[in-house]
Amino acid sequence: MHMLSEQFLQYGRHWPEEKDVSHFIGLLDGGEHRFRRESLEAHFTGSAWLVSADGLRVLLTHHRKLGRWLQLGGHADGDTDLARVALREAEEESGIAGLEVEAEPFDLDRHRIPARGAEPEHWHYDVRYVVRAVASEDFVVSDESHALAWRSIREIADDPQSDKSLRRMAWKWLQR
């Protein structure tokens, strides 16, 4: 977890305007428990900014539980390697083989998840990684999604109706 702490510090130096980095570092102090959904108040998740081979599009899911277009991702389920979590979630949710993940976090996003059933409202500390579709872009919709779609990154960046964190990632991508 020391590596994650260093990565979060480096991320904070690169994106000083983002104020949640200290919260991510603080959550690491909770130990490996914070990588499990049983950590009811807050836990880490891993997500994929899954880009097409040409780098112009991103694969989004119409999330079944939240009813919104979002990046692919999910719970760490005890895995402290969040890049591996992002890659696993991208593979499971897209059905695309031959994906590659970058080792450094691309985006950090801390957000509240509403109470649902017996699960109380809680924080997701979502660590997002760039994942590239290098072999194929043919996806299969899983039972976690209503739909999947490749969307233009430029259109997401320019659309004020897009999810705020998606727009932030689109702008970061376009600055590369």
Side-chain angles (χ1 to χ4, degrees):
M1 288 190 294
H2 174 70
M3 183 178 72
L4 264 181
S5 181
E6 283 299 314
Q7 288 177 338
F8 293 162
L9 287 169
Q10 183 176 345
Y11 179 91
R13 286 189 293 273
H14 189 75
W15 303 105
E17 69 280 3
E18 293 185 27
K19 304 298 182 203
D20 280 346
V21 176
S22 63
H23 294 282
F24 279 77
I25 294 167
L27 193 65
L28 282 174
D29 292 339
E32 291 189 20
H33 174 67
R34 297 301 194 172
F35 292 82
R36 298 191 170 282
R37 64 179 88 201
E38 293 80 18
S39 175
L40 294 179
E41 62 283 350
H43 48 261
F44 286 106
T45 56
S47 291
W49 179 250
L50 177 48
V51 295
S52 57
D54 62 11
L56 300 176
R57 293 164 292 125
V58 63
L59 187 66
L60 299 181
T61 177
H62 193 259
H63 197 277
R64 186 170 294 282
K65 291 180 183 174
L66 299 175
R68 297 171 32 208
W69 286 98
L70 299 170
Q71 74 284 346
L72 305 174
H75 288 97
D77 293 327
D79 191 345
T80 60
D81 183 340
L82 294 176
R84 183 171 52 220
V85 171
L87 180 61
R88 179 186 72 227
E89 292 291 329
E91 291 169 343
E92 288 175 2
E93 293 182 21
S94 74
I96 299 174
L99 298 176
E100 295 178 358
V101 64
E102 293 183 4
E104 300 292 320
F106 174 64
D107 187 67
L108 300 179
D109 191 76
R110 184 174 71 107
H111 53 270
R112 296 292 287 171
I113 299 296
R116 190 163 189 268
E119 187 176 271
E121 182 180 50
H122 60 281
W123 286 99
H124 272 186
Y125 283 64
D126 196 28
V127 183
R128 286 105 179 248
Y129 293 85
V130 171
V131 176
R132 291 182 181 267
V134 293
S136 170
E137 295 178 9
D138 297 331
F139 59 78
V140 177
V141 178
S142 76
D143 60 1
E144 295 191 30
S145 303
H146 287 299
L148 295 173
W150 287 104
R151 294 247 346 255
S152 160
I153 295 171
R154 169 61 65 191
E155 288 176 13
I156 293 168
D158 292 342
D159 180 3
Q161 301 303 313
S162 285
D163 177 85
K164 185 175 93 171
S165 74
L166 284 181
R167 287 188 77 201
R168 183 180 64 243
M169 288 187 288
W171 279 111
K172 284 179 180 178
W173 181 256
L174 294 172
Q175 290 175 31
R176 280 181 147 204

